[in-house]
Amino acid sequence: MANRRTNPDFLNGVPELLILQLLEQRPMYGYELVQAIVRSTGERLEFGEGCIYPLLHRLESEGTLTARRQQVGGRERVVYRVTRKGKGKLAEAAARWRHVAAAVTMVLQGGIHEQRQPGIA
Amino acid sequence: MANRRTNPDFLNGVPELLILQLLEQRPMYGYELVQAIVRSTGERLEFGEGCIYPLLHRLESEGTLTARRQQVGGRERVVYRVTRKGKGKLAEAAARWRHVAAAVTMVLQGGIHEQRQPGIA
DNA sequence: TGGGATACCTGTAACCGTGAGGCATGGAGG
DNA sequence: CCTCCATGCCTCACGGTTACAGGTATCCCA
Protein backbone atom coordinates (compact mmCIF):
# COMPACT_ATOMS: atom_id res chain seq x y z
CA MET A 1 0.00 0.00 0.00
CA ALA A 2 2.93 2.34 -0.09
CA ASN A 3 2.45 4.15 3.20
CA ARG A 4 4.12 7.42 2.41
CA ARG A 5 6.87 6.62 0.09
CA THR A 6 9.02 9.05 -1.73
CA ASN A 7 7.21 8.33 -4.95
CA PRO A 8 3.54 7.87 -5.51
CA ASP A 9 2.48 4.36 -6.15
CA PHE A 10 2.01 4.83 -9.83
CA LEU A 11 4.90 3.24 -11.38
CA ASN A 12 3.07 0.03 -10.77
CA GLY A 13 -0.37 0.90 -9.43
CA VAL A 14 -1.93 1.02 -12.86
CA PRO A 15 -4.16 -2.05 -12.54
CA GLU A 16 -5.79 -0.65 -9.43
CA LEU A 17 -6.39 2.66 -11.14
CA LEU A 18 -8.00 1.06 -14.16
CA ILE A 19 -10.21 -1.13 -12.00
CA LEU A 20 -11.51 1.82 -10.09
CA GLN A 21 -12.11 3.91 -13.15
CA LEU A 22 -13.87 1.18 -15.12
CA LEU A 23 -15.99 0.08 -12.19
CA GLU A 24 -17.06 3.62 -11.59
CA GLN A 25 -18.36 3.83 -15.11
CA ARG A 26 -20.32 0.63 -14.61
CA PRO A 27 -20.40 -2.21 -12.08
CA MET A 28 -18.81 -5.38 -13.37
CA TYR A 29 -17.73 -8.83 -12.33
CA GLY A 30 -14.13 -9.95 -12.33
CA TYR A 31 -13.98 -11.91 -15.52
CA GLU A 32 -15.78 -9.14 -17.33
CA LEU A 33 -13.40 -6.57 -15.92
CA VAL A 34 -10.36 -8.44 -17.15
CA GLN A 35 -11.68 -8.20 -20.68
CA ALA A 36 -12.90 -4.66 -20.25
CA ILE A 37 -9.34 -3.59 -19.50
CA VAL A 38 -8.13 -5.15 -22.71
CA ARG A 39 -10.92 -3.49 -24.67
CA SER A 40 -10.79 -0.08 -23.18
CA THR A 41 -7.05 0.22 -23.59
CA GLY A 42 -7.30 -0.81 -27.22
CA GLU A 43 -5.49 -4.10 -26.57
CA ARG A 44 -2.51 -2.22 -25.22
CA LEU A 45 -2.76 -3.49 -21.67
CA GLU A 46 -3.77 -6.88 -20.41
CA PHE A 47 -3.75 -7.96 -16.79
CA GLY A 48 -4.38 -11.58 -16.04
CA GLU A 49 -6.96 -12.89 -13.65
CA GLY A 50 -4.16 -13.71 -11.26
CA CYS A 51 -3.56 -10.01 -10.98
CA ILE A 52 -7.14 -8.75 -10.95
CA TYR A 53 -8.87 -11.12 -8.58
CA PRO A 54 -6.54 -10.62 -5.65
CA LEU A 55 -6.75 -6.89 -6.21
CA LEU A 56 -10.53 -6.98 -6.13
CA HIS A 57 -10.43 -8.89 -2.88
CA ARG A 58 -8.09 -6.38 -1.35
CA LEU A 59 -10.09 -3.40 -2.55
CA GLU A 60 -13.21 -4.92 -1.14
CA SER A 61 -11.68 -5.59 2.25
CA GLU A 62 -10.47 -2.00 2.30
CA GLY A 63 -13.96 -0.72 1.74
CA THR A 64 -13.14 0.66 -1.65
CA LEU A 65 -15.48 -1.74 -3.39
CA THR A 66 -18.56 -3.73 -2.48
CA ALA A 67 -19.22 -7.19 -3.83
CA ARG A 68 -22.58 -8.72 -4.62
CA ARG A 69 -23.02 -12.32 -5.67
CA GLN A 70 -25.27 -13.17 -8.58
CA GLN A 71 -26.50 -16.36 -10.18
CA VAL A 72 -26.74 -16.16 -13.94
CA GLY A 73 -27.68 -19.30 -15.82
CA GLY A 74 -26.15 -21.64 -13.27
CA ARG A 75 -22.94 -19.61 -13.19
CA GLU A 76 -21.95 -17.41 -10.36
CA ARG A 77 -20.77 -13.86 -10.77
CA VAL A 78 -19.40 -11.47 -8.22
CA VAL A 79 -20.34 -7.98 -9.22
CA TYR A 80 -18.27 -5.15 -7.84
CA ARG A 81 -19.29 -1.58 -7.29
CA VAL A 82 -17.28 1.44 -6.21
CA THR A 83 -18.20 2.83 -2.81
CA ARG A 84 -18.28 6.49 -1.94
CA LYS A 85 -14.92 6.07 -0.30
CA GLY A 86 -13.73 4.36 -3.43
CA LYS A 87 -14.71 7.31 -5.55
CA GLY A 88 -12.55 9.51 -3.41
CA LYS A 89 -9.65 7.13 -3.83
CA LEU A 90 -10.18 7.07 -7.54
CA ALA A 91 -10.10 10.83 -7.77
CA GLU A 92 -6.84 11.02 -5.85
CA ALA A 93 -5.33 8.18 -7.80
CA ALA A 94 -6.25 9.68 -11.14
CA ALA A 95 -4.81 13.02 -10.11
CA ARG A 96 -1.56 11.39 -9.07
CA TRP A 97 -1.38 9.49 -12.32
CA ARG A 98 -1.72 12.67 -14.32
CA HIS A 99 0.88 14.30 -12.16
CA VAL A 100 3.37 11.53 -12.70
CA ALA A 101 2.60 11.05 -16.36
CA ALA A 102 3.06 14.73 -16.92
CA ALA A 103 6.44 14.60 -15.22
CA VAL A 104 7.68 11.72 -17.32
CA THR A 105 6.35 13.16 -20.53
CA MET A 106 7.99 16.44 -19.64
CA VAL A 107 11.35 14.78 -19.32
CA LEU A 108 10.80 12.92 -22.56
CA GLN A 109 10.11 16.15 -24.36
CA GLY A 110 13.54 16.99 -23.16
CA GLY A 111 13.79 20.44 -24.58
CA ILE A 112 12.88 21.99 -21.30
CA HIS A 113 15.94 21.51 -19.10
CA GLU A 114 16.24 22.53 -15.51
CA GLN A 115 13.16 24.61 -15.22
CA ARG A 116 12.92 26.68 -12.05
CA GLN A 117 9.69 26.98 -10.24
CA PRO A 118 9.55 30.12 -8.13
CA GLY A 119 7.08 28.77 -5.59
CA ILE A 120 9.47 26.37 -3.90
CA ALA A 121 12.23 27.54 -1.59
CA MET B 1 13.95 -7.56 -18.26
CA ALA B 2 10.48 -8.56 -19.30
CA ASN B 3 11.29 -10.72 -22.29
CA ARG B 4 7.98 -10.62 -24.10
CA ARG B 5 5.44 -10.26 -21.46
CA THR B 6 1.83 -9.52 -21.99
CA ASN B 7 2.39 -5.96 -20.91
CA PRO B 8 5.28 -3.71 -21.80
CA ASP B 9 7.68 -3.01 -19.03
CA PHE B 10 6.35 0.40 -18.24
CA LEU B 11 4.30 -0.03 -15.25
CA ASN B 12 7.57 0.02 -13.41
CA GLY B 13 10.39 0.75 -15.83
CA VAL B 14 10.27 4.47 -15.30
CA PRO B 15 13.65 4.93 -13.59
CA GLU B 16 15.41 3.25 -16.48
CA LEU B 17 13.57 5.39 -18.99
CA LEU B 18 14.45 8.61 -17.22
CA ILE B 19 18.08 7.61 -16.88
CA LEU B 20 18.37 6.94 -20.58
CA GLN B 21 16.62 10.11 -21.59
CA LEU B 22 18.57 12.38 -19.26
CA LEU B 23 21.90 10.80 -20.11
CA GLU B 24 21.19 11.20 -23.78
CA GLN B 25 20.73 14.91 -23.28
CA ARG B 26 24.02 15.11 -21.46
CA PRO B 27 26.49 12.65 -19.90
CA MET B 28 26.37 12.64 -16.13
CA TYR B 29 27.64 10.83 -13.08
CA GLY B 30 25.42 8.90 -10.72
CA TYR B 31 25.04 11.36 -7.92
CA GLU B 32 24.34 14.11 -10.39
CA LEU B 33 21.77 12.00 -12.14
CA VAL B 34 19.87 11.33 -8.95
CA GLN B 35 19.41 15.04 -8.49
CA ALA B 36 18.74 15.66 -12.15
CA ILE B 37 15.75 13.35 -11.95
CA VAL B 38 14.34 15.34 -9.07
CA ARG B 39 14.93 18.59 -10.91
CA SER B 40 13.69 17.64 -14.30
CA THR B 41 10.48 16.16 -12.96
CA GLY B 42 9.79 19.28 -10.96
CA GLU B 43 10.26 17.44 -7.64
CA ARG B 44 7.53 15.02 -8.59
CA LEU B 45 9.75 11.96 -8.77
CA GLU B 46 12.71 10.99 -6.66
CA PHE B 47 14.65 7.77 -6.94
CA GLY B 48 17.26 7.06 -4.31
CA GLU B 49 20.85 6.18 -5.00
CA GLY B 50 20.05 2.65 -4.00
CA CYS B 51 17.80 2.49 -7.02
CA ILE B 52 19.93 4.37 -9.50
CA TYR B 53 23.41 2.96 -8.94
CA PRO B 54 22.48 -0.68 -9.44
CA LEU B 55 20.56 0.30 -12.52
CA LEU B 56 23.55 2.14 -13.95
CA HIS B 57 25.69 -0.92 -13.37
CA ARG B 58 23.22 -3.14 -15.10
CA LEU B 59 22.81 -0.82 -18.04
CA GLU B 60 26.53 -0.62 -18.42
CA SER B 61 26.99 -4.36 -18.36
CA GLU B 62 24.27 -4.63 -21.00
CA GLY B 63 26.12 -2.28 -23.27
CA THR B 64 23.47 0.38 -23.02
CA LEU B 65 25.81 2.79 -21.27
CA THR B 66 29.53 3.32 -21.09
CA ALA B 67 31.26 4.44 -17.92
CA ARG B 68 34.31 6.65 -17.65
CA ARG B 69 36.06 7.36 -14.36
CA GLN B 70 37.09 10.88 -13.53
CA GLN B 71 39.01 12.51 -10.72
CA VAL B 72 37.64 15.88 -9.69
CA GLY B 73 39.21 17.55 -6.68
CA GLY B 74 40.14 14.32 -4.94
CA ARG B 75 36.69 12.90 -5.52
CA GLU B 76 35.92 10.24 -8.00
CA ARG B 77 33.12 10.45 -10.46
CA VAL B 78 31.83 7.83 -12.84
CA VAL B 79 30.43 9.54 -15.87
CA TYR B 80 27.94 7.62 -17.95
CA ARG B 81 27.17 8.05 -21.59
CA VAL B 82 24.53 6.44 -23.79
CA THR B 83 25.85 4.12 -26.47
CA ARG B 84 24.42 3.81 -29.93
CA LYS B 85 22.69 0.68 -28.83
CA GLY B 86 21.40 2.59 -25.84
CA LYS B 87 19.87 5.23 -28.06
CA GLY B 88 17.93 2.53 -29.80
CA LYS B 89 16.69 1.21 -26.50
CA LEU B 90 15.70 4.67 -25.42
CA ALA B 91 13.70 5.23 -28.56
CA GLU B 92 11.81 2.00 -28.10
CA ALA B 93 11.27 2.61 -24.43
CA ALA B 94 9.98 6.13 -24.98
CA ALA B 95 7.60 4.90 -27.64
CA ARG B 96 6.27 2.23 -25.34
CA TRP B 97 5.81 4.75 -22.56
CA ARG B 98 3.75 7.00 -24.77
CA HIS B 99 1.74 4.03 -25.91
CA VAL B 100 0.93 2.96 -22.38
CA ALA B 101 0.39 6.44 -21.05
CA ALA B 102 -2.02 7.13 -23.88
CA ALA B 103 -3.94 3.97 -23.05
CA VAL B 104 -4.30 4.84 -19.38
CA THR B 105 -5.21 8.44 -20.09
CA MET B 106 -7.76 7.24 -22.58
CA VAL B 107 -9.45 5.10 -19.97
CA LEU B 108 -9.35 7.96 -17.50
CA GLN B 109 -11.09 10.22 -19.93
CA GLY B 110 -13.73 7.59 -19.73
CA GLY B 111 -16.20 9.10 -22.12
CA ILE B 112 -14.97 6.88 -24.90
CA HIS B 113 -16.27 3.42 -24.00
CA GLU B 114 -15.62 0.29 -25.96
CA GLN B 115 -14.18 1.84 -29.04
CA ARG B 116 -13.74 -0.50 -31.94
CA GLN B 117 -10.71 -0.31 -34.12
CA PRO B 118 -11.37 -1.64 -37.59
CA GLY B 119 -7.75 -2.49 -38.29
CA ILE B 120 -7.55 -5.48 -35.98
CA ALA B 121 -9.15 -8.81 -36.83
C1' DT C 1 36.61 18.88 15.74
C1' DG C 2 32.41 18.25 13.92
C1' DG C 3 29.04 18.11 10.59
C1' DG C 4 27.30 18.37 6.14
C1' DA C 5 27.71 17.95 1.26
C1' DT C 6 29.77 15.25 -2.25
C1' DA C 7 30.35 10.68 -4.34
C1' DC C 8 30.53 5.94 -4.59
C1' DC C 9 28.62 1.28 -3.24
C1' DT C 10 25.74 -3.01 -1.34
C1' DG C 11 22.22 -5.84 0.73
C1' DT C 12 17.70 -6.82 2.57
C1' DA C 13 12.98 -6.62 2.36
C1' DA C 14 8.72 -5.58 0.26
C1' DC C 15 5.83 -5.29 -3.30
C1' DC C 16 3.58 -6.20 -7.66
C1' DG C 17 2.47 -8.61 -11.60
C1' DT C 18 3.15 -13.12 -14.38
C1' DG C 19 1.91 -17.49 -15.49
C1' DA C 20 0.46 -21.73 -14.48
C1' DG C 21 -2.29 -24.08 -12.34
C1' DG C 22 -7.20 -25.90 -10.07
C1' DC C 23 -12.31 -26.16 -9.80
C1' DA C 24 -17.03 -26.04 -11.80
C1' DT C 25 -20.78 -25.08 -15.24
C1' DG C 26 -22.89 -24.60 -19.88
C1' DG C 27 -23.11 -24.99 -24.79
C1' DA C 28 -21.47 -26.47 -29.33
C1' DG C 29 -19.62 -30.05 -32.30
C1' DG C 30 -18.28 -34.54 -33.59
C1' DC D 1 -22.42 -39.47 -25.66
C1' DC D 2 -18.15 -37.34 -25.01
C1' DT D 3 -15.09 -33.75 -25.56
C1' DC D 4 -13.61 -29.33 -25.97
C1' DC D 5 -13.93 -24.50 -25.30
C1' DA D 6 -15.72 -20.40 -23.12
C1' DT D 7 -17.25 -18.76 -18.94
C1' DG D 8 -16.38 -17.73 -14.11
C1' DC D 9 -14.23 -18.13 -9.82
C1' DC D 10 -9.89 -18.87 -7.24
C1' DT D 11 -4.71 -19.55 -5.34
C1' DC D 12 0.16 -20.09 -5.28
C1' DA D 13 5.14 -19.82 -6.54
C1' DC D 14 8.34 -17.29 -8.97
C1' DG D 15 10.77 -13.34 -10.65
C1' DG D 16 11.83 -8.65 -11.24
C1' DT D 17 11.97 -3.91 -9.56
C1' DT D 18 12.13 -0.54 -6.27
C1' DA D 19 12.70 1.32 -1.37
C1' DC D 20 15.46 2.12 2.42
C1' DA D 21 18.99 1.77 5.35
C1' DG D 22 23.13 1.16 5.70
C1' DG D 23 28.63 1.56 4.66
C1' DT D 24 32.97 4.02 2.96
C1' DA D 25 35.77 8.10 1.85
C1' DT D 26 36.91 12.99 0.72
C1' DC D 27 36.32 17.88 1.12
C1' DC D 28 34.96 22.27 3.12
C1' DC D 29 33.31 25.33 6.48
C1' DA D 30 32.43 26.74 11.14
Side-chain angles (χ1 to χ4, degrees):
Chain A
M1 279 298 282
N3 269 326
R4 287 316 125 221
R5 295 237 283 294
T6 54
N7 287 319
D9 212 10
F10 265 126
L11 315 179
N12 37 344
V14 174
E16 182 176 320
L17 174 61
L18 294 185
I19 287 176
L20 289 176
Q21 171 68 27
L22 291 174
L23 285 185
E24 202 219 21
Q25 289 171 16
R26 153 170 76 96
M28 296 167 105
Y29 51 97
Y31 192 81
E32 188 184 9
L33 187 55
V34 169
Q35 300 169 97
I37 290 178
V38 176
R39 291 254 112 139
S40 62
T41 60
E43 275 81 21
R44 288 183 178 89
L45 261 30
E46 173 175 352
F47 299 102
E49 305 174 22
C51 172
I52 298 303
Y53 282 118
L55 249 173
L56 289 173
H57 300 333
R58 206 200 67 202
L59 290 172
E60 189 201 352
S61 73
E62 283 175 12
T64 306
L65 300 178
T66 54
R68 201 187 36 171
R69 305 200 154 252
Q70 262 185 12
Q71 292 291 334
V72 177
R75 287 206 192 79
E76 194 185 44
R77 291 175 179 174
V78 186
V79 178
Y80 291 92
R81 193 177 297 269
V82 183
T83 63
R84 179 161 341 203
K85 180 178 165 191
K87 299 196 188 203
K89 272 193 64 167
L90 169 57
E92 290 171 22
R96 261 177 293 150
W97 159 264
R98 293 198 193 90
H99 202 241
V100 170
V104 174
T105 301
M106 191 166 76
V107 174
L108 286 188
Q109 253 131 23
I112 317 100
H113 311 278
E114 313 288 316
Q115 46 167 15
R116 299 255 95 263
Q117 48 200 41
I120 297 185
Chain B
M1 275 299 280
N3 268 326
R4 284 317 126 219
R5 294 236 286 294
T6 54
N7 287 318
D9 211 12
F10 266 124
L11 313 180
N12 38 340
V14 174
E16 183 177 319
L17 174 60
L18 294 185
I19 287 176
L20 289 176
Q21 171 67 28
L22 290 173
L23 285 184
E24 202 218 22
Q25 289 173 15
R26 153 170 75 96
M28 297 168 104
Y29 51 98
Y31 191 81
E32 189 184 9
L33 186 56
V34 170
Q35 300 169 96
I37 290 177
V38 177
R39 290 253 113 139
S40 63
T41 60
E43 275 82 20
R44 287 182 178 90
L45 262 31
E46 173 176 352
F47 300 101
E49 305 175 23
C51 173
I52 298 304
Y53 282 118
L55 246 173
L56 288 172
H57 301 332
R58 205 201 69 202
L59 290 172
E60 189 200 352
S61 73
E62 284 176 11
T64 307
L65 301 177
T66 55
R68 201 187 37 169
R69 306 201 153 250
Q70 262 185 11
Q71 292 292 335
V72 177
R75 287 204 192 81
E76 194 184 44
R77 291 175 179 174
V78 185
V79 178
Y80 291 93
R81 193 177 299 270
V82 183
T83 64
R84 180 159 343 203
K85 179 177 164 191
K87 299 196 188 203
K89 272 195 60 167
L90 169 56
E92 290 171 23
R96 261 176 293 149
W97 159 264
R98 293 197 192 90
H99 202 243
V100 170
V104 175
T105 302
M106 190 166 77
V107 175
L108 286 188
Q109 253 130 22
I112 319 98
H113 311 278
E114 312 290 317
Q115 46 166 16
R116 298 253 97 265
Q117 48 201 40
I120 296 185

